[in-house]
Amino acid sequence: MDIATILGVTLGFVVISWAILVGGSWSIFVDAPAIAITVGGMLCSTLIHFSLPQFLSIFSVVKKTIVARVPVPAELVRKMAAYAAVNRRDGALALEQEVGKLSDVFFARGLQMVVDGQKPEDIRDFLSMEIQYLQDRHATGKKILEYMGAAAPAFGMIGTLIGLVQMLKNLESPDQIGAGMAVALITTFYGAIAANLVFLPLAGKLGLYSKAETTAKEMIMEGVCAIARGDSPTAVREKLQVFLSQGKRTEVKVQL
Amino acid sequence: MDIATILGVTLGFVVISWAILVGGSWSIFVDAPAIAITVGGMLCSTLIHFSLPQFLSIFSVVKKTIVARVPVPAELVRKMAAYAAVNRRDGALALEQEVGKLSDVFFARGLQMVVDGQKPEDIRDFLSMEIQYLQDRHATGKKILEYMGAAAPAFGMIGTLIGLVQMLKNLESPDQIGAGMAVALITTFYGAIAANLVFLPLAGKLGLYSKAETTAKEMIMEGVCAIARGDSPTAVREKLQVFLSQGKRTEVKVQL
Amino acid sequence: MDIATILGVTLGFVVISWAILVGGSWSIFVDAPAIAITVGGMLCSTLIHFSLPQFLSIFSVVKKTIVARVPVPAELVRKMAAYAAVNRRDGALALEQEVGKLSDVFFARGLQMVVDGQKPEDIRDFLSMEIQYLQDRHATGKKILEYMGAAAPAFGMIGTLIGLVQMLKNLESPDQIGAGMAVALITTFYGAIAANLVFLPLAGKLGLYSKAETTAKEMIMEGVCAIARGDSPTAVREKLQVFLSQGKRTEVKVQL
Amino acid sequence: MDIATILGVTLGFVVISWAILVGGSWSIFVDAPAIAITVGGMLCSTLIHFSLPQFLSIFSVVKKTIVARVPVPAELVRKMAAYAAVNRRDGALALEQEVGKLSDVFFARGLQMVVDGQKPEDIRDFLSMEIQYLQDRHATGKKILEYMGAAAPAFGMIGTLIGLVQMLKNLESPDQIGAGMAVALITTFYGAIAANLVFLPLAGKLGLYSKAETTAKEMIMEGVCAIARGDSPTAVREKLQVFLSQGKRTEVKVQL
Amino acid sequence: MDIATILGVTLGFVVISWAILVGGSWSIFVDAPAIAITVGGMLCSTLIHFSLPQFLSIFSVVKKTIVARVPVPAELVRKMAAYAAVNRRDGALALEQEVGKLSDVFFARGLQMVVDGQKPEDIRDFLSMEIQYLQDRHATGKKILEYMGAAAPAFGMIGTLIGLVQMLKNLESPDQIGAGMAVALITTFYGAIAANLVFLPLAGKLGLYSKAETTAKEMIMEGVCAIARGDSPTAVREKLQVFLSQGKRTEVKVQL
């Protein structure tokens, strides 16, 4: 679980709720037609912009940013060096049992190809394609979240316009402006919260995980190809060092 | 037919209508001069920006995003492999009958060039030019939709300014502000709906189809050139695999 | 004459005028100080941004987008092929009479260089420089129009601020707000019309003509250099085919 | 002196002043705290963003855009050809007296290096470095002006917020809204004038001079290196022709 | 300590405070719920966007822009030339004592590698990796500050919407609008100050230091590798000259 995301969303809504309660009650901020316009309009606009499969993927995309699990780089290096040692000592088939222990599908697939005796170039080609496919999916997910972060305030403003037109049309005296405008402003409030506390920061977090996951998978691809070439554990560790600069670097000894 | 677009536009107008009906009647939102300023001003501005042929192409462009029909990648691979087999077994002329069965003009043209015995380089040159021409047309269509998505709110605001100036000039007491402002705000409402529920998401959808159609046509070009070279069905299938990463990949067996 | 531009500007002002007349009279929208601030401020700002020669070139730039005349691509190919035939049959000097018939200065210059027996590389160098010079002039013209399209609303807003400050300072009762605000809003109206009905779409149209004129001149350069090299009409036609993809392509037979 | 800049700034303030005087008096637009917030806040923000030396360079940067003096390209070509002739006829030392006559430091330095018998490659290296240094200084100056053009309206808005909060807090009846709001709006007015009549157009003008000065210095570098190589006046003139396309080209005869 | 940053922040708050005191008292601008929404919402949104380690690094990032200490380029050149002389005269081990005197960790590490007799290519590889790591950290810090500079006004606006809705809902007569709106506007004020006086200029200052620090470290890397290669002090000084164009250049004599 990603603590930052959970903490940020929870604390964010707590802060907004507290600010509301200090000045009044929650009830005036709940309005069904307002939610329908802001959320409904945003979803319909997103449906027109993207394809149906992409639209339905929003949920797994949001889930990914909350229940994210990126392999720890130093741990990957340790594993790769160990597998290289096994490969040099006992041969590729001895790695077969390791494949079953891996929970990461990408890692397991790559290692299986080593066990099957595939050539390093073929392994690299296949894994590169998988990484490209992953990056495309992430890029689309980020574009969807960013589009929703722009559409929510836009439909919030449309809702406010509808409310204002109806309120002003039926206005009999300036005394009534207050209540009508309060209701009209609620959709703009929903749109602003949706954009700034949910969609835009989630798009940023998805970008962050995309980079971390791509880096991890590139490490795995390099490591697996190195093992397939029969490199020694030391050579494998050296090759993977350039990827460690992003994370905790002091755990694995840097050898020059 | 593209379900997402139809669903999005329909549901979007349903949601907006429901929100309006909840608070009043539809009638106050219908105003002929308001439509004239917003839609008319937007169209005139677009006419100044683009050429007359480009302007008239808007309709076929919008039609394309609703009645879109992109070849299924896996289906293309299957067909190409089949044609390659026929070509190897019976020669190019045996493909003549297949040309007539193809509904895709681009595919039919390319296959006809194989039947005519054209060299692979010439086929590639000609089909590349066709793909470039298609991409240019799509890019222009997208620019037109995006320009309309920016011009609609701009003229909505101009309409609101006209309404406000007239309303304020003739104001005799603050009690009259209401009705006049309601009418003035309607053009801004039209502009916002036009931009966020129609033009900007349609521009996004067109970009999506452009990419899918370009990828499909590049597949066809690669496949047709491979057949012209006399490649075996297996070689053809391998060549086209890199294009399958975008769609459903499990249908065609990946061979390394 | 470019029909789209004339039509767009005319219809645009007709639509705006009609919308104004529906709600009142034209007179309240005419205000000399308002025009002075919006147009005057915009021109002064443009004068500070660009140099005096560039500023004075605005007029010829705007004229170009209305009275535009781009050679028809298919016609150019036909002429080039004809000249190539004359050159092969009777020699370069026979083209001398054709030079006088050409109204396009660029084309005439290039052809004269062929008649003078210049080397193809020298012709290409000189004509490339002319094309570069033309592109720079167009790019500057577009930047000036785009800057004016941003400055007009900015000074419209400045005019509204001046009007509001003066109106609010002298306000004795809320009943007077109406008339004063109406006048204050007029500059914002001028700025919005100037930007969205004149400068920004004209900038877009200029970009369009720039591309079309550059493409035409590149065709002429390729054709003239091919003639200087002594190519046959068929070879010349083939070379120029790649330029035809932008326009009507079915007129000249595509030979592979 | 750059006429366009002087004219633009002067006329701009005349137009704004006239518009103010038509509707009232100048005095209501002068407010010391308002100037302090808008100008003071903008300067402090710029001081945080840039370093102290860069901040202090604003004045020389603004002076450059008013008292600009860019060498006339045709004049440079004439001088270079003359120096080349002297060099060929009398040798490099004969150019020593010319060095003292040059007011342009960059030109004098380059010519001195020719007199000293430096190799063309060394002269080019040194002068390239000088040009790079100049471009960096111009780029920073432009960034500072653009930042100030964004900060001025931002602090104008902050001043308006301060004024509104104070005015609304002390409001006893809606009759007082007028005078208080007038004062509050003055900072927004200052910010808009500063941005649109001073900083943003000056940034554009600086960009223009930067380009012209870079082109002139590149001409000088090419010319001086050609003289150091012992090129003839004709060869020097040919080499410098490509730079003339930006300015008046008909003065120096184009030789092919 | 960076004088510009300290001066800018201090003077900025002095100017704003003076402007407030001129028109009223400080007290109406202090509101706990307002601070909670603006600052709290901004921090929560940042926490969702970035990871927890990145979020916690904000403080060291801000500290860096105030207590910045970038090596003086001319001083680095002087040291490198001196070390090169020692290396040529007494050998690498004689530099061991110098390592301890260096306060810059990066410089000390590089010099230690020379003392250890590492090959220049290995030294360059390692130091390049360190520079890349530094640039990534700076880029992230800048992105965080820029995001906070956008989120602060966004949550300021959300706070204003909450305040307006509550104020308008409970409005009994237009006389109460004043006090309620004053409180509602305070969050927008906080957001604008936070963005324009703190986060956005600090992001710019961090970008400035990042460039200066990267340049200094690239100088150190070039110098240390040159010493490892056994270059003479003159050769070392020549190599480092290209870096001096950014700072004060007249201190070290330029030798061609």
Side-chain angles (χ1 to χ4, degrees), chain E residues 32-47:
Chain E
I35 297 175
I37 300 176
T38 315
V39 176
M42 174 193 77
L43 289 177
C44 292
S45 185
T46 309
L47 203 57

Side-chain angles (χ1 to χ4, degrees), chain B residues 71-102:
Chain B
V72 178
E75 179 68 14
L76 281 175
V77 177
R78 196 192 58 72
K79 274 191 178 168
M80 289 294 175
Y83 294 160
V86 169
N87 183 45
R88 290 267 282 208
R89 198 181 55 217
D90 305 329
L93 287 169
L95 286 170
E96 185 118 52
Q97 20 178 315
E98 297 294 337
V99 172
K101 296 187 203 166
L102 289 169

